[in-house]
Amino acid sequence: MSDAAQPTAAEVRAAAEAVKAALDRHLAAVERRSGEDDPAVYEAFNELAAAAEEYDELLYDRYDEVTPFEIPGGPDGLPPYAGPEAPNALSVLIRRDYTVTEPQRLKAQAQRIEAVERGRGEPSDAGAETLQGSLGIVFGEFDPDEIASRHKEFGLEEGDSTLWVTTSARPADPGEWLAAPFDEVDPADVAFRFDVSAVFDEDEEDDGEDEDDGEDEGGVRG
């Protein structure tokens, strides 16, 4: 980078102050969190990530120095955001992986749901006799967020999860994407991404850092 394009010392100092302020906002959001998926914590995380990245870049450009900050993200990251500046619509795409660790517990939950339905005089197709049928009953009865918070009760173990918020200039027409809901997702339209994975903890252990009580979550914007 040429000398004329280098940031000033004042700009680097301002970026450092922005990191400090973002740290305070993130800690305050964590202290006030209303639940495991509090959006205020995710927002503060992303603000902190953006401030740290800006400071790191300016520090390097001005002084040829780097910071120890590393914001966890996916293996390939995301391309620069190219969606509308003022979106009229958004979509939320969620993937949560589970391992079925206790099949009998899952089936027992499904059988209890069927028993309640029979007690109400509702029809039952004995789907709880199979594991696949039990999955359909459980996920049909409980909200996905409730299953995520109570997964052990259903004989499930959490794996990785990710949430993408994508933007668009117009709302989708009714039924427009139902046949293939995930086929036409443009990564450049992803405004925010939030990841939860044990790999973040593994990375910290590999680096020899002390484990703390922080979230194993990464919020990134490519």
Side-chain angles (χ1 to χ4, degrees):
M1 175 177 287
S2 66
D3 291 341
Q6 284 185 345
T8 65
E11 289 173 329
V12 179
R13 173 61 61 181
E17 294 299 324
V19 172
K20 297 175 187 177
L23 277 168
D24 288 338
R25 289 194 297 272
H26 181 258
L27 177 57
V30 171
E31 291 173 337
R32 296 192 306 266
R33 70 185 309 153
S34 59
E36 183 177 350
D37 298 320
D38 190 335
V41 176
Y42 286 135
E43 182 178 357
F45 180 97
N46 279 278
E47 291 177 356
L48 176 57
E53 183 177 3
E54 176 73 8
Y55 172 62
D56 190 86
E57 290 179 358
L58 293 179
L59 186 72
Y60 181 80
D61 291 342
R62 176 70 184 182
Y63 299 110
D64 198 26
E65 290 289 344
V66 297
T67 70
F69 304 145
E70 182 178 356
I71 306 303
D76 299 321
L78 292 170
Y81 176 68
E85 183 175 346
N88 292 319
L90 60 87
S91 297
V92 179
L93 293 85
I94 302 175
R95 171 172 174 169
R96 293 185 177 123
D97 283 2
Y98 297 96
T99 302
V100 181
T101 55
E102 298 182 73
Q104 294 305 318
R105 182 183 291 269
L106 177 63
K107 293 174 69 174
Q109 286 280 9
Q111 289 165 0
R112 279 193 284 271
I113 295 169
E114 281 194 331
V116 171
E117 291 175 346
R118 285 194 297 270
R120 296 171 180 166
E122 300 176 9
S124 174
D125 57 4
E129 297 301 320
T130 67
L131 190 58
Q132 180 181 356
S134 296
L135 284 169
I137 293 171
V138 168
F139 279 86
E141 177 72 14
F142 296 96
D143 182 272
D145 289 338
E146 186 173 3
I147 291 177
S149 64
R150 300 172 52 192
H151 59 277
K152 292 183 179 179
E153 297 179 32
F154 303 107
L156 303 175
E157 181 177 331
E158 284 185 312
D160 290 354
S161 68
T162 187
L163 181 151
W164 291 19
V165 179
T166 67
T167 63
S168 58
R170 68 169 184 84
D173 294 329
E176 180 179 347
W177 49 259
L178 288 178
F182 307 111
D183 283 1
E184 298 183 4
V185 178
D186 186 348
D189 290 336
V190 178
F192 297 99
R193 170 178 174 173
F194 308 108
D195 298 326
V196 177
S197 175
V199 72
F200 301 132
D201 293 336
E202 293 171 1
D203 289 343
E204 291 179 359
E205 291 173 2
D206 291 341
D207 292 338
E209 299 177 358
D210 292 334
E211 186 175 349
D212 57 27
D213 293 330
E215 291 295 306
D216 57 342
E217 63 188 24
V220 298
R221 168 56 251 167

